[in-house]
């Protein structure tokens, strides 16, 4: 079955097929006074050396700053009471503790929160870059969905992010900055006034317990920045979100999967969405470069896989496209031997898309086949009329989160 690409999709002129990638990337231009957020300990040491902190003190100062930045969430150098006044003034002159600028915040009755963040553009006066960060609270956890790029160079035909032309890699400070903004807004720092309202997790002493790299962008196309940002997120003396609670979602950048396992060590989620190459070529054009067999081979070799550490296979439910029971049966055959979970994501429609979300009954039938084969395949019963949502495409909608969006978000967040 051929699905015409949506308007705005970049095409390869000779064949008319959807292009695998678009280029080029915009660049990040650092502000004159850079933020310390996102620097590794080593980079922080260098930054301190650069403003005259003697090498003999550097280690201790890095420890102190790390604690203020990532454990306490300090927003001003003046809060750093165990740092000398002189050094505070020096730091103030050269650096900031700036996070990405929040241009909009939406809070839903069920506690879901969405922040629209503005990031600097390459050329002054140009339209600023924007990404979204979404917080999805549940009774026993709070999941933060982070973006890795402004837009995405890939062109998955059902994904709204893929239609955006402007693409820029986020720098580590902008990825870590999303966590900082969320914790600021939730009052999720020691001693801070905690947010209240419906839906916030009642268990545990932290609002943000999990991270999913499922917002805008392909994280494995921005490997170093994502790796460095997640190392900061997982640091036990700072943000302290264990790697077991961080999930990286990829559309299938096969050559980077082994490196992701070795150097990032997060839980892996793979956007499979189809069980045959022909259909996956259409839905996820990157499949033309890295077909299903290669992708699954890379998954089988992902380090540390076990029944307790499974790969999540994401499968967006597209009506009449990939949602038949034949597809469900083929899916379980395909995953045989891989410690796997299946995440059925109700398709979240956007203006101009050719796809529709599968009927709820069909999603349930599909899920039963997957479940009967021994795979957890959580799908939430829809509250209200219908289902839906996905982090990757929330940016477009300026209106409040709909019940459908919230549901799809939850489906995506259920990666445990
Ligand atoms: N680029 C990465 C991560 C971001 S997208 C990836 O593709 O995996 C996160 C998930 O949302 C992916 O599984 C993606 O396929 C899915 N997704 C994108 N658009 C969607 C939509 N409109 N409805 C439902 N899921 C969508
Ligand atoms: Fe990019 Fe992921 Fe959207 Fe595909 S689904 S276009 S890889 S963000």
């Amino acid at each position: 079955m051929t699905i015409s690409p949506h308007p705005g999709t970049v095409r390869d002129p000779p064949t008319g097929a959807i292009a695998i990638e678009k280029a080029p990337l915009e660049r990040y231009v650092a502000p004159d006074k850079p933020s310390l957020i996102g620097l590794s300990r080593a980079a922080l040491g260098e930054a301190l050396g650069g403003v005259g902190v003697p090498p003999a003190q550097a280690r201790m100062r890095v420890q102190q700053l790390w604690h203020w930045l990532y454990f306490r969430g300090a927003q001003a150098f003046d809060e750093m009471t165990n740092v000398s006044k002189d050094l505070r003034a020096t730091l103030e002159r050269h650096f900031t503790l700036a996070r990405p600028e929040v241009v909009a915040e939406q809070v839903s009755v069920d506690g879901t929160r969405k922040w629209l963040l503005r990031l600097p553009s390459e050329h002054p006066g140009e339209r600023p870059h924007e990404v979204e960060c979404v917080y999805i609270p549940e009774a026993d956890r709070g999941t933060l969905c982070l973006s890795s790029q402004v837009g995405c160079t890939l062109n998955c035909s059902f994904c709204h992010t893929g239609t955006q032309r402007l693409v820029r890699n986020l720098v580590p400070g902008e990825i870590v900055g999303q966590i900082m903004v969320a914790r600021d807004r939730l009052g999720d720092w020691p001693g801070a006034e905690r947010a209240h309202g419906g839906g916030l997790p009642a268990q545990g002493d932290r609002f943000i317990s999990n991270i999913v790299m499922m917002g805008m962008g392909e994280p494995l196309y921005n490997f170093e920045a994502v790796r460095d940002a997640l190392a900061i997120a997982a640091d036990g003396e700072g943000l302290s979100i264990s790697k077991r609670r961080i999930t990286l979602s990829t559309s299938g950048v096969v050559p980077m999967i082994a490196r992701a396992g070795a150097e990032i060590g997060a839980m892996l989620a793979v956007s499979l969405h189809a069980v045959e190459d022909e259909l996956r070529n259409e839905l996820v054009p990157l499949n033309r470069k890295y077909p299903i067999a290669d992708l699954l081979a890379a998954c089988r070799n992902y380090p540390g896989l076990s029944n307790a550490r499974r790969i999540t296979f994401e499968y967006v439910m597209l009506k009449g496209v990939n949602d038949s029971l034949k597809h469900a049966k083929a899916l379980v055959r395909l995953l045989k031997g891989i410690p796997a979970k299946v995440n059925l994501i109700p398709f979240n429609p956007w203006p101009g898309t050719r796809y529709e979300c599968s009927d709820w009954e069909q999603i349930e039938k599909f899920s039963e086949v997957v479940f009967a084969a021994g795979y957890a395949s959580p799908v939430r019963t829809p509250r209200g009329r219908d289902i839906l949502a996905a982090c990757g495409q929330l940016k477009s909608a300026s209106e409040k989160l709909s019940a459908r969006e919230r549901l799809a978000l939850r489906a995506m967040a259920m990666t445990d």
Side-chain angles (χ1 to χ4, degrees), residues 26 36 83 159 162 229 399:
E26 297 255 320
L36 293 180
V83 176
C159 173
E399 70 275 19

Side-chain angles (χ1 to χ4, degrees), residues 23 89 98 117 137 142 151 158 180-181 195 246 251-252 261 268 327 338 345 350 405 413:
L117 307 175
F158 57 89
M180 306 298 281
V181 162
I246 300 179
S251 57
L268 187 67
H327 289 122
I338 305 179
I345 308 177
W350 36 273
E405 275 184 320

Side-chain angles (χ1 to χ4, degrees), residues 167-182:
V167 182
R168 166 159 88 69
N169 279 334
L170 300 194
V171 294
E174 294 171 325
I175 300 171
V176 175
Q178 296 170 62
I179 310 175
M180 306 298 281
V181 162

Side-chain angles (χ1 to χ4, degrees), residues 183-404:
R183 291 192 65 175
D184 293 345
R185 293 286 166 152
L186 290 166
D188 200 21
W189 297 112
E193 193 189 327
R194 285 167 73 85
H196 34 79
L200 292 168
Q203 294 163 30
D205 53 358
R206 297 163 70 179
F207 283 149
I208 298 173
S209 55
N210 294 56
I211 287 178
V212 292
M213 296 300 302
M214 293 186 186
M216 293 174 85
E218 168 49 58
L220 295 188
Y221 270 16
N222 187 14
F223 186 85
E224 277 84 9
V226 167
R227 175 195 62 199
D228 296 351
L230 293 181
I232 293 174
D235 188 290
E237 292 174 353
L239 294 168
S240 213
I241 299 169
S242 110
K243 296 231 165 128
R244 298 286 312 264
R245 290 173 170 271
I246 300 179
T247 301
L248 185 148
S249 173
T250 179
S251 57
V253 187
V254 167
M256 299 305 285
I257 289 180
R259 264 190 87 188
E263 297 178 38
I264 301 177
M267 306 297 285
L268 187 67
V270 171
S271 296
L272 191 61
H273 306 319
V275 290
E276 293 144 11
D277 282 323
E278 199 185 334
L279 179 58
R280 195 163 188 273
N281 286 345
E282 267 179 41
L283 300 179
V284 185
L286 187 64
N287 193 71
R288 304 208 312 255
K289 211 164 172 181
Y290 309 120
I292 294 176
D294 297 2
L295 176 57
L296 293 182
C299 290
R300 285 197 167 83
N301 291 328
Y302 193 70
L305 275 194
S306 68
N307 279 341
R309 258 177 80 89
R310 295 164 192 253
I311 294 183
T312 300
F313 288 89
E314 297 159 279
Y315 198 94
V316 63
M317 298 300 291
L318 302 169
K319 187 173 184 165
V321 176
N322 65 353
D323 66 347
S324 74
L325 298 189
K326 240 175 85 188
H327 289 122
K329 286 174 195 149
L331 175 63
V332 298
R333 275 198 304 275
L334 208 56
L335 299 184
K336 209 164 182 226
I338 305 179
K341 282 175 289 191
V342 176
N343 216 10
L344 301 179
I345 308 177
F347 171 62
N348 192 18
W350 36 273
T353 181
R354 307 294 299 254
Y355 300 104
E356 282 177 74
C357 181
S358 308
D359 295 331
W360 188 256
E361 275 166 29
Q362 190 60 25
I363 299 183
E364 286 200 325
K365 281 190 201 144
F366 194 107
S367 147
E368 274 159 25
V369 172
V370 175
F371 184 74
Y375 297 102
S377 62
V379 192
R380 286 277 159 102
T381 313
R383 282 175 301 183
R385 285 131 295 165
D386 31 22
I387 31 176
L388 250 309
C391 309
Q393 46 126 50
L394 286 174
K395 182 180 166 293
S396 47
S398 56
E399 70 275 19
K400 279 231 154 78
L401 279 179
S402 64
R404 329 165 105 215

Side-chain angles (χ1 to χ4, degrees), residues 58-71:
R59 221 182 118 85
M60 182 261 290
R61 294 298 185 199
V62 167
Q63 274 305 102
Q64 284 179 328
L65 273 175
W66 197 267
H67 180 80
W68 284 109
L69 260 57
Y70 299 122
F71 186 83

Side-chain angles (χ1 to χ4, degrees), residues 31-53:
D32 294 340
K33 201 170 159 186
S35 175
L36 293 180
I37 303 296
L39 298 187
S40 64
R41 285 173 197 268
L44 209 47
E46 274 172 36
L48 290 179
V51 298
V53 172

